[in-house]
């Protein structure tokens, strides 16, 4: 018999605040844009492995409802940085994915991030043909450190 993975009721917490005013589709997407190890093979098959500190970095993309409490809070946090960069307190975050095995057992997969900052303001659009994207604000938050635990 094969294995199963049932997922749902995931949570995203930024600075202790649950993010709940999310849109549709991929409401949260956590990516690791850099390799954590650089590998190079040279003459005679000799290999070099070097730790790449930028591999600890992650990018969290959040889709929240335009004008919602979460949108207002994220926007205010962006302007905290813009108005006084040295005084800004970076984000701490967690993204918890819940996976069930079909037998009632749940394995939370927890991503813990620190050193976060919003890297750009959300774009805006107006559409007269019912495009629901106009009601979603997309925030991109870069973190300097991230860990995954099961």
């Amino acid at each position: 018999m094969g294995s199963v993975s049932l997922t749902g009721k995931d949570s995203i917490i930024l600075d202790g605040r649950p993010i709940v005013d999310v849109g549709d589709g991929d409401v949260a997407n956590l990516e690791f844009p850099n390799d954590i190890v650089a590998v190079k093979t040279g003459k005679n098959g000799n290999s070099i492995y070097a730790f790449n500190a930028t591999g600890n970095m992650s990018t969290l993309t959040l889709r929240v409802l335009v004008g919602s409490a979460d949108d207002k809070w994220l926007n205010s946090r962006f302007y905290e940085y813009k108005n006084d960069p040295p005084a800004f307190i970076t984000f701490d975050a967690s993204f918890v994915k819940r996976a069930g095995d079909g037998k009632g057992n749940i394995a939370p997969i927890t991503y813990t991030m620190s050193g976060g900052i919003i890297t750009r303001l959300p774009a805006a659009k107006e559409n007269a043909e019912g495009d629901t994207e106009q009601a979603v604000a997309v925030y991109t938050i870069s973190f300097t450190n991230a860990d995954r635990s099961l």
Side-chain angles (χ1 to χ4, degrees), residues 10-23:
D10 301 338
S11 63
I12 303 150
I13 311 289
L14 289 175
D15 288 344
R17 178 191 177 99
I19 302 300
V20 296
D21 297 328
V22 293

Side-chain angles (χ1 to χ4, degrees), residues 70-119:
D70 287 337
D71 184 19
K72 291 173 185 174
W73 179 74
L74 287 163
N75 190 69
S76 73
R77 292 286 283 141
F78 176 82
Y79 280 99
E80 283 177 26
Y81 171 77
K82 190 172 179 185
N83 292 333
D84 192 357
F88 184 73
I89 299 170
T90 58
F91 285 101
D92 288 327
S94 66
F95 180 5
V96 179
K97 231 144 151 88
R98 297 177 73 238
D101 66 0
K103 297 175 184 165
N105 302 307
I106 296 172
I109 300 135
T110 303
Y111 294 86
T112 306
M113 294 86 70
S114 63
I117 192 163
I118 297 170
T119 55

Side-chain angles (χ1 to χ4, degrees), residues 121-134:
L121 284 173
K125 71 159 52 177
E126 180 180 5
N127 179 278
E129 296 180 353
D131 185 355
T132 58
E133 286 298 306
Q134 64 191 321

